[in-house]
Amino acid sequence: MPMASNKFQQELEDWQAVLKLPAGRRVLARLARTGAGALGASFAPGDALATAYNEGMRAMCLHMLEMARAASETDTALHDAFADILTFKEDSHDN
């Protein structure tokens, strides 16, 4: 299955390109915290459809964080990228 391997490698390289930019790290950090992001709750009391929607958003954020983690592990120059995303503070523009 070399095609899938090449596709995954290209995806990792794309994520590495995003993570090399401080702005890319900030955007990913904001997405992880927005609404029902990976770090938020997805349950909406009394509203099954909203809960399902929120869980879909959360799943996408978790996927993005997992790809960021994988990309940062395969490129030594990005060693701190994943930690930067998780510890991002909105008022700090150095991350």
Side-chain angles (χ1 to χ4, degrees):
M1 207 178 344
M3 183 81 145
S5 178
N6 289 340
K7 186 177 179 181
F8 182 74
Q9 184 60 38
Q10 180 61 58
E11 187 171 358
L12 278 179
E13 290 171 9
D14 293 344
W15 277 98
Q16 288 167 347
V18 170
L19 293 173
K20 287 179 181 174
L21 301 171
R25 295 179 192 191
R26 288 191 303 268
V27 167
L28 289 173
R30 287 185 192 114
L31 287 172
R33 287 167 177 72
T34 302
L39 306 177
S42 59
F43 181 66
D47 192 341
L49 293 177
T51 297
Y53 175 82
N54 291 343
E55 187 57 27
M57 295 291 290
R58 183 176 173 276
M60 179 49 90
C61 286
L62 287 172
H63 172 74
M64 290 188 308
L65 287 174
E66 176 57 24
M67 290 307 299
R69 184 201 57 76
S72 68
E73 286 181 352
T74 59
D75 185 333
T76 56
L78 297 173
H79 180 71
D80 295 329
F82 187 65
D84 288 349
I85 291 168
L86 295 178
T87 60
F88 173 76
K89 301 282 189 269
E90 189 64 41
D91 58 337
S92 171
H93 296 287
D94 296 329
N95 290 344

